[in-house]
């Protein structure tokens, strides 16, 4: 888990969002991003990044996904209180352009198998969830458990406000 803050006058939205260009990261953010990217790539664990409002978490989440080698290697989701495990699996399935069964256990199994097959072909999905503090504790625990099923094929990074990780 990484907890960080940025310079007090840093504006993470200073870049031109309409052009798709993200603002530059501060040196401490670059270091944090390198650490998070390394943990996501080489750890079998769920990666959690927390910090106060305005500390640059969303910018880090966006930059982390933008810097992936291939577009299908990363999926950035913004959490809300309606994002549960079924919706999360559906978003992954849509990203991979596969159909999911309606039943949650079967959907979870299909995503796990698909991730494993993609890993055998050299694929690896980085799933980044921003504003994870909006997820309920059951969903956070489901995500943590799911992250352990196919760690060589799927990495999950949660970004949220300080303290949300206590629900894990």
């Amino acid at each position: 888990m990484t907890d960080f803050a940025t310079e007090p006058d840093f504006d993470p939205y200073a870049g031109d969002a309409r052009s798709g260009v993200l603002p530059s990261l501060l040196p401490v953010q670059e270091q944090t991003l390198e650490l998070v990217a390394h943990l996501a790539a080489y750890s079998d664990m769920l990666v959690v990044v927390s910090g106060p409002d305005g500390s640059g978490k969303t910018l880090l989440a966006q930059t982390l996904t933008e810097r992936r080698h291939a577009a299908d290697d990363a999926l950035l989701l913004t959490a809300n209180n309606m994002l549960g495990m079924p919706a999360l699996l559906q978003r992954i399935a849509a990203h991979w352009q596969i159909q999911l069964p309606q039943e949650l256990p079967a959907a979870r199994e299909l995503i796990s198998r698909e991730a494993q097959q993609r890993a055998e072909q050299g694929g690896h999905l980085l799933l980044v969830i921003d504003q994870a503090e909006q997820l309920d504790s059951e969903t956070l625990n489901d995500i943590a458990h799911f992250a352990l099923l196919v760690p060589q094929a799927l990495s999950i990074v949660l970004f949220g406000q300080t303290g949300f990780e206590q629900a894990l």
Side-chain angles (χ1 to χ4, degrees):
M1 175 177 53
T2 300
D3 190 22
F4 64 94
T6 60
E7 302 296 320
D9 58 350
F10 175 68
D11 180 2
Y13 303 104
D16 185 357
R18 292 166 298 189
S19 70
V21 176
L22 295 174
S24 298
L25 297 179
L26 296 171
V28 68
Q29 290 173 313
E30 281 288 351
Q31 292 171 345
T32 301
L33 185 65
E34 287 177 24
L35 175 62
V36 171
H38 180 81
L39 289 171
Y42 298 107
S43 174
D44 291 346
M45 305 297 289
L46 180 69
V47 179
V48 174
V49 180
S50 65
D53 279 340
S55 61
K57 298 177 302 294
T58 295
L59 176 61
L60 283 178
Q62 292 169 340
T63 305
L64 181 63
T65 56
E66 292 256 334
R67 289 187 182 177
R68 291 293 286 198
H69 299 291
D72 64 343
D73 284 350
L75 176 59
L76 174 62
L77 302 177
T78 300
N80 61 46
N81 58 4
M82 300 302 290
L83 182 68
M85 201 61 193
L88 179 65
L89 294 174
Q90 190 61 46
R91 296 290 298 272
I92 294 171
H95 181 74
W96 283 339
Q97 299 178 342
I98 60 173
Q99 289 292 109
L100 278 186
Q102 293 294 326
E103 305 80 31
L104 182 59
R108 187 186 314 255
E109 177 61 29
L110 180 63
I111 292 292
S112 295
R113 278 196 323 266
E114 181 71 20
Q116 187 62 44
Q117 289 173 354
R118 288 171 180 265
E120 290 169 3
Q121 298 170 357
H124 184 270
L125 178 64
L126 173 64
L127 176 61
V128 177
I129 302 175
D130 193 20
Q131 299 180 14
E133 73 278 356
Q134 295 189 35
L135 299 173
D136 61 40
S137 59
E138 181 181 346
T139 300
L140 286 170
N141 284 309
D142 281 348
I143 290 169
H145 176 72
F146 189 68
L148 296 173
L149 294 179
V150 283
Q152 68 284 2
L154 176 69
S155 297
I156 301 175
V157 182
L158 302 177
F159 286 83
Q161 290 182 357
T162 302
F164 89 93
E165 66 278 3
Q166 301 303 316
L168 291 169

